[in-house]
Amino acid sequence: MGFFAALAGAIGAGSLARPRASDGSGSGRQIAARREDLRGGFKRRKRAQRGSAAVEFALVAPAFFAMTFAVLECGYFFFVDAVVNEAVKTAARTVRTGQAVRNSVTPQAFFNQICSIVDTFGPCNQRLTVDIETFADFQALANDLADPNAAIQCRNSGNPGLPGAQFNAADFGNPRSIVRVRVCFLHKPFNPLLGVDIPTNGDGFREMVAVEIFRNEPFDPTPPAP
């Protein structure tokens, strides 16, 4: 009972009354000043953070954008290379199965078959060359592959008159012939300094060479009946 009596007396005396912050006392002014200091500190810290973020972005941005464009350049290069290889593989099948011989496909028609796939990436009459050659045996093929002067000729400003189809119909071969189909397509990079580390020719193009080597199937060379 003594505790409750003392508590009641304290309440009656007003000793637990809440102090007023706005009573003009020195402690109230100190609290207000501290609040203002805290607000000002937060504002200065935010401005400093925004400034440091801008500086950091300015330092990182060139490397970031260079890496981004290099990835895009590299991806586009390999995409075009895959399309060129697939075009050669599809066209070479008409030779291997004897369709080119039986249907009397002309060199220009064979060239156009490949061009119809790769012309999305550039004009064929300026960037595409096709070469077909037959060999008596694999030793002759190995000797040709070892000859640095036997590489396919790609178009450039130095030989503007180079034909797109560098072969004749006889190069399609006969049943069981060993045949090599080569294609050179000139790829124009957006920025040669980025992406894959492949040198460009004098005209700023990268030479994509696709090769298919096979032995013809034992097809019937007789043309189909009309």
Side-chain angles (χ1 to χ4, degrees):
M1 296 295 291
F3 170 76
F4 290 105
L7 179 61
I11 294 175
S15 60
L16 295 181
R18 184 172 56 185
R20 292 178 296 173
S22 59
D23 59 358
S25 63
S27 60
R29 287 194 297 271
Q30 290 177 359
I31 293 174
R34 289 176 182 175
R35 288 177 179 173
E36 291 298 324
D37 290 341
L38 289 175
R39 292 192 186 118
F42 287 140
K43 291 180 181 179
R44 288 191 296 271
R45 184 175 299 176
K46 289 182 179 179
R47 287 195 296 268
Q49 289 176 346
R50 286 197 295 266
S52 62
V55 173
E56 291 172 358
F57 180 78
L59 295 174
V60 175
F64 172 77
F65 286 117
M67 183 179 298
T68 300
F69 288 121
V71 170
L72 294 175
E73 181 73 53
C74 187
Y76 181 64
F77 173 85
F78 284 111
F79 172 71
V80 177
D81 184 67
V83 172
V84 173
N85 278 275
E86 188 62 29
V88 176
K89 185 181 298 184
T90 302
R93 188 177 185 280
T94 65
V95 178
R96 186 175 66 253
T97 58
Q99 299 177 50
V101 174
R102 298 189 65 203
N103 297 326
S104 301
V105 175
T106 63
Q108 187 61 43
F110 188 84
F111 176 88
N112 292 339
Q113 181 180 356
I114 298 176
C115 175
S116 64
I117 301 176
V118 302
D119 63 348
T120 305
F121 309 111
C124 297
N125 60 349
Q126 299 176 10
R127 301 191 184 185
L128 179 65
T129 51
V130 181
D131 171 64
I132 299 178
E133 191 172 353
T134 57
F135 299 90
D137 50 43
F138 285 105
Q139 184 58 52
L141 172 63
N143 294 337
D144 186 82
L145 293 175
D147 185 0
N149 297 321
I152 184 173
Q153 296 183 8
C154 300
R155 290 181 169 179
N156 55 58
S157 58
N159 51 5
L162 185 69
Q166 303 176 13
F167 62 98
N168 52 57
D171 292 321
F172 290 137
N174 300 311
R176 307 293 297 173
S177 294
I178 300 172
V179 183
R180 179 185 62 196
V181 179
R182 295 186 297 183
V183 166
C184 179
F185 184 78
L186 301 180
H187 169 67
K188 184 69 172 179
F190 295 111
N191 190 333
L193 300 179
L194 300 175
V196 293
D197 186 18
I198 298 178
T200 58
N201 61 12
D203 298 325
F205 291 95
R206 290 192 172 110
E207 299 177 353
M208 292 182 172
V209 178
V211 182
E212 284 286 319
I213 299 175
F214 51 87
R215 185 188 287 274
N216 282 345
E217 297 178 2
F219 59 83
D220 182 6
T222 306

CSV table of all heavy atoms in Angstrom, one decimal, residues 135 174-178 215-219:
chain,number,residue,atom,x,y,z
A,135,PHE,N,38.4,-34.9,-107.8
A,135,PHE,CA,39.7,-35.5,-107.6
A,135,PHE,C,39.6,-37.0,-107.9
A,135,PHE,O,38.7,-37.7,-107.6
A,135,PHE,CB,40.2,-35.3,-106.2
A,135,PHE,CG,40.3,-33.8,-105.9
A,135,PHE,CD1,39.3,-33.1,-105.3
A,135,PHE,CD2,41.5,-33.1,-106.1
A,135,PHE,CE1,39.4,-31.8,-104.9
A,135,PHE,CE2,41.6,-31.8,-105.8
A,135,PHE,CZ,40.5,-31.1,-105.2
A,174,ASN,N,31.1,-37.6,-111.4
A,174,ASN,CA,30.3,-38.8,-111.8
A,174,ASN,C,30.0,-39.6,-110.5
A,174,ASN,O,30.4,-39.2,-109.4
A,174,ASN,CB,31.1,-39.7,-112.7
A,174,ASN,CG,31.5,-39.0,-114.0
A,174,ASN,OD1,30.6,-38.4,-114.7
A,174,ASN,ND2,32.8,-39.0,-114.4
A,175,PRO,N,29.2,-40.7,-110.7
A,175,PRO,CA,29.0,-41.5,-109.5
A,175,PRO,C,30.3,-42.0,-108.8
A,175,PRO,O,31.2,-42.4,-109.5
A,175,PRO,CB,28.2,-42.7,-110.0
A,175,PRO,CG,27.5,-42.2,-111.3
A,175,PRO,CD,28.5,-41.2,-111.8
A,176,ARG,N,30.4,-41.9,-107.5
A,176,ARG,CA,31.6,-42.2,-106.7
A,176,ARG,C,32.7,-41.3,-106.9
A,176,ARG,O,33.8,-41.6,-106.4
A,176,ARG,CB,32.0,-43.7,-107.1
A,176,ARG,CG,30.9,-44.7,-107.0
A,176,ARG,CD,30.4,-44.9,-105.5
A,176,ARG,NE,31.5,-45.4,-104.7
A,176,ARG,CZ,31.4,-45.6,-103.4
A,176,ARG,NH1,30.2,-45.2,-102.7
A,176,ARG,NH2,32.3,-46.0,-102.6
A,177,SER,N,32.5,-40.2,-107.5
A,177,SER,CA,33.6,-39.2,-107.7
A,177,SER,C,33.9,-38.5,-106.3
A,177,SER,O,32.9,-38.3,-105.5
A,177,SER,CB,33.3,-38.1,-108.7
A,177,SER,OG,33.3,-38.7,-110.0
A,178,ILE,N,35.1,-38.1,-106.1
A,178,ILE,CA,35.5,-37.3,-104.9
A,178,ILE,C,35.4,-35.8,-105.3
A,178,ILE,O,36.0,-35.4,-106.2
A,178,ILE,CB,36.9,-37.6,-104.4
A,178,ILE,CG1,37.0,-39.1,-104.1
A,178,ILE,CG2,37.3,-36.8,-103.2
A,178,ILE,CD1,38.4,-39.6,-103.8
A,215,ARG,N,32.3,-38.0,-101.2
A,215,ARG,CA,32.2,-38.9,-102.4
A,215,ARG,C,30.8,-39.0,-102.9
A,215,ARG,O,29.9,-39.2,-102.1
A,215,ARG,CB,32.8,-40.2,-102.0
A,215,ARG,CG,32.9,-41.2,-103.3
A,215,ARG,CD,33.3,-42.6,-102.8
A,215,ARG,NE,34.6,-42.7,-102.4
A,215,ARG,CZ,35.7,-42.9,-103.2
A,215,ARG,NH1,35.5,-43.0,-104.6
A,215,ARG,NH2,36.9,-43.0,-102.8
A,216,ASN,N,30.6,-38.8,-104.2
A,216,ASN,CA,29.3,-38.9,-104.7
A,216,ASN,C,28.7,-40.3,-104.5
A,216,ASN,O,29.4,-41.3,-104.5
A,216,ASN,CB,29.3,-38.6,-106.2
A,216,ASN,CG,29.4,-37.1,-106.5
A,216,ASN,OD1,29.2,-36.3,-105.6
A,216,ASN,ND2,29.7,-36.7,-107.8
A,217,GLU,N,27.4,-40.3,-104.3
A,217,GLU,CA,26.7,-41.5,-104.2
A,217,GLU,C,26.6,-42.2,-105.6
A,217,GLU,O,26.8,-41.6,-106.6
A,217,GLU,CB,25.2,-41.3,-103.7
A,217,GLU,CG,25.2,-40.7,-102.3
A,217,GLU,CD,23.8,-40.4,-101.9
A,217,GLU,OE1,22.8,-40.7,-102.7
A,217,GLU,OE2,23.6,-39.8,-100.8
A,218,PRO,N,26.4,-43.5,-105.6
A,218,PRO,CA,26.3,-44.2,-106.9
A,218,PRO,C,25.0,-44.0,-107.6
A,218,PRO,O,24.2,-44.9,-107.8
A,218,PRO,CB,26.5,-45.7,-106.5
A,218,PRO,CG,26.0,-45.8,-105.1
A,218,PRO,CD,26.3,-44.4,-104.4
A,219,PHE,N,24.8,-42.8,-108.0
A,219,PHE,CA,23.5,-42.4,-108.6
A,219,PHE,C,23.5,-42.8,-110.1
A,219,PHE,O,24.5,-43.1,-110.7
A,219,PHE,CB,23.3,-40.9,-108.4
A,219,PHE,CG,24.4,-40.0,-109.0
A,219,PHE,CD1,24.4,-39.7,-110.4
A,219,PHE,CD2,25.4,-39.5,-108.3
A,219,PHE,CE1,25.4,-38.9,-110.9
A,219,PHE,CE2,26.4,-38.7,-108.8
A,219,PHE,CZ,26.4,-38.4,-110.1
